[in-house]
Each structure stands twice: as C-alpha cells, then as structure tokens.
Amino acid sequence: MSSSFTVITGNEDPKKTESALDWKVLAQLSGTLVVLMGWRNMPSIVETLVANGKSPRTPAALIMWGTEPWQIAVTGPLSNIVDLAYEKGISSPVIAVIGDVAGLRETLRWFDNRPLFGKRALVTRTRAQAGKLSQRLEALGAIAVEAPTIEIQPLDDYTELDSAVTRLTDYDWILFSSGNAVEAVFDRIDALNLDSRAFAGTQIACIGPDTSSILQRHGIIPDLIPDTAVAESLINALTSLDMAGKNILIPKPDIGRDTLPTGLRAAGATITEVVSYRTVMPKSSKALVMDAISEGIDIAVFTSSSTVENLAKLLNDDLACLENAKIACIGPITAATAGELGLSVDIVATEHTIDGLVTAMEEHFVGGGDTG
C-alpha cells in the first residue's frame, strides 16, 4: 500500500509554452500518482513518465465514469495500459491511478463486481412504493429505472367502506391481502376519528410479512400469516381453523383476483367484500416506459399482476422489446400473468416480498443464471 499520493491534471492549457508539471520529479515519486482529465493526453503522459525514469512495469489503472453504475476500469503495466484501455472501449472521462496500489485492484475490488452492477432494472411498482425496491437494487449495483405502471388512488365514494370500518367488531375475521388495503382502512379510521380499538375482539389475518409490517406500524399484530404470501396459502391457513359460519371482511382493490373470497365461501364462511382503493394507470406511464426501453432494459421487475398487465397495455401487447431482458416476479401469481402475456419468466421469488424478490435476483446473477 502507498503512504502518499499526488494528484495532477492531465489536461493543461494547450496555449502554455511549457508544462507547469515537473515530470522528472513526478516519475521518481514512490507513492501513488493520480491523473485527472488526462485521457486525451494519456499516451504522451505515459511516454513522458517512462522517459523520466518511471518503470514501464509500474501497475496502472484507468477508470472511466468512476463511482457510476456504468463504470469501466482496466489495469495493467504502465507501458501498455493505453492499449488495454482502447481494447476495452474506454474514453473520457477517465482517471488514471499509477503505482503499486493499482495492482491491488482484484484484492480490494468491491464496487463493480456486485451481482447487479451496471444492469438497468425497470421498476414498475407505484411511485410511492418503488423507493425501497430501487434502493435495494442500487445497493447491488443496478441502475433502477422507475416507470410505474400502476398508481393507487382513493375512492370517489367512501359510503360502503366507512360503513364497514364503523362495524369492524361485527366480523370474526378481517383479511388484508395487501399493504394498500391496510393503509386505505386506516385512512378511513383516522377520517372517522376512530383508532385501533375499532378492531377490538376481531381477529386479523394478512397475506404476508410485508403487509404484516404495515399493520404493525399502525399498532396491530396480525393473528395469522400464512407460510407463503399467496391467497391460496391464506385460504389453507384459515380453513384449517374451521371457517364455517364465520363472518369475514375483505377490504380489496377495485380490480383483482377473487380466489380468496371464493375459497372461503366454499369453506362455509360469510364474506363481505368492500372496495377500499382503486388501481389505475398513471398518466405519465407511457412516456416513462418508452424512455426506459429506448435506453435498454436488462431486468424487468414486476411486483403484481397489475404491473405486468398495465405494461402490456402500454406497449399494445407487444412485449418483444423485453425478449433480451431477465423477467423477475415477486411470486407465482405474477409470474403466471407474465407467462400468459408471452413473457419468459427467469426469476420468481421464493419469499413473496420485496426483500425476497431482491434476494432471488441476487442469487440468480451470482449463481450464473445471467446468460446475457
């Protein structure tokens, strides 16, 4: 390791009659030499350093777009570092690092060998919810491109939802199949000047850990969470407790599967479904999606069937632009929807949560699943 470093410009004013840099002194330095903005002059910089006594075998590195997800770096001996950079397609902006420390790149390397480094990931989740997913992807080196294909909107009329919220204790169970349903119900609890006591004596089930986390932020610990975050698992968990004659409330979106109420009715339960929020396509979606695709997509990430269906609508059901992208889905239901629309799904989360989805993508690329 070097105990000192020197930083110089590699792009002096061409009008100067002579350099302000003492290249003989610079060539004799034992520490690390860092050259900024020097790509255009790099051949002459290397030649001058060697001519003034710097060993041509000195380790060197050239880094283009350093610290960015599209960073490219090359290392090698000083004498042919420029040729190696040409071969790798390097051009401005470039930083040069010259000295023994450059030879430690493979030992110290961490930034550009992350599993998703440089991959453009299309995030189709709602803008309000995309942040966590984008942050997790970027931590793994990806370029998260947010182009929401769905948006959660409030209802035009709260009469039915408010009626249910003011009678929560009339139900044996309340089932939350998404965090959006939780937020919608608690928005009305607040609007009606109620609090969590409105759930007194009522048991609560939710579809998975992400929904459970949102419930717990509101001070409610669910009584039941199935092993896997799909409606079928929730049905199995509930019917194992005997649902015959039970009065169950299901706050739901305006669109979605009817698997949960159908399965519980078959088990003898009395089901009340109440729409608690609307799922719509954002007005800005078309432009965002087209811009994202025009720049290339390596991974398309889907967190619900609606995100896939709306993307297909935006593209007039022509999903050929994603044929070279990896398709990642949060669970089997979303994956099935993607398959029905003609997409070949590469990644399906085992744990149907955002964390589980990111883990599945990481494992796919670390495990050599990336053939592109």
Side-chain angles (χ1 to χ4, degrees), residues 312-326:
K313 290 176 184 176
L314 289 168
L315 297 174
N316 298 317
D317 292 326
D318 182 6
L319 298 174
C321 56
L322 296 179
E323 63 183 2
N324 294 321
K326 299 295 180 181

Side-chain angles (χ1 to χ4, degrees), residues 259-282:
T259 303
L260 188 56
T262 299
L264 292 172
R265 285 192 181 103
T270 299
I271 305 298
T272 300
E273 298 177 77
V274 59
V275 174
S276 56
Y277 62 94
R278 296 183 299 127
T279 302
V280 302
M281 188 184 300

Side-chain angles (χ1 to χ4, degrees), residues 121-126 130-131 133-134 137 144-149 299-301:
L122 180 68
V123 177
T124 56
R125 209 175 189 208
T126 66
L133 176 55
S134 294
L137 293 173
V145 183
E146 295 184 8
T149 60
I299 314 167
V301 187

